[in-house]
Amino acid sequence: MLNKLSDTIYYLSNQDDRERPTLGLVSGEQYSLIIDSGNSPRHAKDFLLEIENLNVPPVKYVVITHAHWDHFLGMNEFDATVIVNRQTNEIMKEWQCLSYDDHSLQKYVTANQMNAMCMEIIQTDIPNRDSFKLKSPDVIFENTLTIDLGNKICILERIKSTHTDDSTIIYIPDEKVIFLGDCAYGTTTNSLFHYKQSLLLPMIKDIQKYDAEMFLLGHESICDLNEMDIYWEELTTASQVVRSTSLENAIESFKVETKRDPNDNELFFIKAFVNDQMIQSL
């Protein structure tokens, strides 16, 4: 079921048990724009069925926030202009060359080109897999792109991110709403979950320059400004105390600087930044 954020913005909530991220819909007076196409044709079709129940202009654009499979494998279902940044396009080219039969999928999983959950979703949610080929995006932008849906402006920007190097955010100025995709999350490298410490402050700066009051995230659905500020504060406080690969030193520094123990979120972030120090030291 679609959630209504305003008269012109709706979203389909994430379903983490099915590896389904948040999908967005923004409507102007002439056209509508979709944010992320879902993790499979079935996910995309479920979204389109929900949109059919709304009185909105036709979908003209689909914006992919980044090239992780759960955000783009449904894009063939949309009769619309697919928009990505240049680096997202380069990564997606690899997926356009893949085969989706069982033998090929197992080969990709064994080679760590794909995880087991991705294979399972493809096997259950993509019909006619033997002939399935991911289509190419239609519009490729470098840094920023502005789209007018008819008295409704959407600003697309590729930003620095602790999650991927190809993150696109979408800002709707008159609504003070921003779709972040997964850009504010960490990532996993060599089986270690981490936040890219060097990109944390540049990323926050890229996001906070927009006057946003509501934030749509890939796997939390929606946060208000106060919730995002708390998230940024906990992340930055955790990052500031991590200066080496020693978790013990980081926790002790946190206690000295804040005069308290870290809460559960801060401890999680501290461990993630320590992991990043380990990865950078390799």
Side-chain angles (χ1 to χ4, degrees):
M1 181 177 177
L2 287 182
N3 301 283
K4 183 178 181 179
L5 185 58
S6 72
D7 288 340
T8 60
I9 299 178
Y10 296 80
Y11 65 95
L12 187 66
S13 291
N14 61 299
Q15 294 175 270
D16 285 347
D17 60 326
R18 302 175 71 183
E19 206 69 25
R20 288 184 166 189
T22 304
L23 306 181
L25 172 71
V26 182
S27 296
E29 294 177 355
Q30 292 180 291
Y31 308 112
S32 295
L33 175 147
I34 280 172
I35 294 144
D36 281 332
S37 65
N39 71 353
S40 66
R42 181 175 294 179
H43 190 192
K45 287 176 180 176
D46 289 348
F47 189 35
L48 286 167
L49 284 173
E50 295 285 350
I51 293 172
E52 285 179 9
N53 295 324
L54 302 175
N55 182 26
V56 297
V59 174
K60 186 173 182 179
Y61 305 103
V62 176
V63 180
I64 305 299
T65 59
H66 63 294
H68 282 171
W69 66 273
D70 53 323
H71 293 259
F72 67 76
L73 274 182
M75 74 182 205
N76 287 15
E77 298 302 312
F78 296 91
D79 183 18
T81 299
V82 177
I83 303 172
V84 300
N85 70 51
R86 178 187 54 77
Q87 188 161 358
T88 297
N89 182 60
E90 291 303 312
I91 299 169
M92 288 174 65
K93 284 179 181 178
E94 300 172 16
W95 287 81
Q96 291 159 19
C97 297
L98 298 185
S99 299
Y100 293 84
D101 59 275
D102 286 338
H103 176 74
S104 297
L105 291 175
Q106 188 58 61
K107 183 176 66 175
Y108 303 144
V109 171
T110 302
N112 291 321
Q113 290 178 265
M114 179 185 294
N115 64 36
M117 174 64 82
C118 179
M119 178 175 71
E120 181 181 328
I121 296 295
I122 289 171
Q123 289 173 327
T124 58
D125 287 4
I126 297 184
N128 306 314
R129 286 186 290 114
D130 288 351
S131 60
F132 180 82
K133 287 292 181 183
L134 188 70
K135 71 179 184 180
S136 298
D138 303 291
V139 173
I140 299 156
F141 71 97
E142 192 66 33
N143 296 311
T144 62
L145 182 67
T146 299
I147 297 174
D148 187 353
L149 302 175
N151 203 32
K152 180 69 63 178
I153 296 296
C154 297
I155 299 171
L156 283 56
E157 182 181 0
R158 176 185 170 186
I159 69 163
K160 300 175 182 68
S161 168
T162 54
H163 184 66
T164 67
D165 293 331
D166 70 312
S167 290
T168 292
I169 59 174
I170 300 92
Y171 176 60
I172 302 94
D174 67 322
E175 304 272 10
K176 295 187 176 182
V177 170
I178 193 164
F179 284 82
L180 296 180
D182 291 356
C183 73
Y185 300 142
T187 188
T188 300
T189 304
N190 299 331
S191 300
L192 289 175
F193 178 80
H194 65 113
Y195 281 81
K196 299 174 184 176
Q197 195 171 24
S198 64
L199 295 179
L200 177 65
L201 294 181
M203 175 185 71
I204 295 173
K205 182 179 179 181
D206 280 347
I207 294 170
Q208 287 187 333
K209 72 184 179 187
Y210 292 104
D211 181 18
E213 295 178 354
M214 300 303 294
F215 301 77
L216 279 297
L217 293 96
H219 298 277
E220 263 82 24
S221 288
I222 190 164
C223 293
D224 62 23
L225 180 58
N226 182 60
E227 289 170 319
M228 285 306 300
D229 283 345
I230 291 171
Y231 181 68
W232 298 139
E233 177 66 22
E234 289 179 337
L235 268 175
T236 54
T237 301
S239 176
Q240 287 165 0
V241 301
V242 176
R243 305 178 185 94
S244 71
T245 59
S246 171
L247 177 60
E248 293 77 12
N249 288 350
I251 293 173
E252 185 58 32
S253 293
F254 185 96
K255 292 178 180 179
V256 169
E257 294 184 20
T258 65
K259 306 296 189 293
R260 61 178 176 84
D261 291 335
N263 64 33
D264 289 345
N265 288 339
E266 290 162 335
L267 184 58
F268 176 81
F269 297 147
I270 289 170
K271 291 176 180 177
F273 287 120
V274 168
N275 285 345
D276 189 64
Q277 289 279 341
M278 292 178 181
I279 291 166
Q280 300 308 318
S281 67
L282 295 177

